Amino acid sequence: MRRIAIEGMTCGHCVQAVSKALAKVPGVTRVSEVSLERGEAVVEGSATEEALLAAVREAGYEARDAG
């Protein structure tokens, strides 16, 4: 399981956009949660951190590993 800190989400549409972007990354088996309140996503699977961060950035948001 990976946690990703995400900056720039301001509404439910943002949450959906991030969820969809992460779900498309090869190796992602499940997007467990994308939290607007905490500004983070929890993703399961074998996707690399680099691929996950790139997908969020390509969707228009800032991202970093949240540990």
Side-chain angles (χ1 to χ4, degrees):
M1 181 173 12
R2 294 191 184 268
R3 290 190 182 279
I4 302 167
I6 303 167
E7 295 179 18
M9 293 190 300
T10 59
C11 64
H13 174 75
C14 297
V15 170
Q16 290 291 354
V18 169
S19 294
K20 287 181 182 179
L22 290 170
K24 291 180 183 178
V25 175
V28 170
T29 56
R30 182 172 175 229
V31 178
S32 300
E33 178 183 15
V34 177
S35 173
L36 178 62
E37 293 78 22
R38 288 192 313 276
E40 76 174 19
V42 179
V43 179
E44 298 176 23
S46 62
T48 65
E49 178 182 323
E50 294 80 18
L52 296 170
L53 298 179
V56 173
R57 291 176 182 145
E58 287 175 20
Y61 306 92
E62 291 298 316
R64 62 179 168 73
D65 180 42

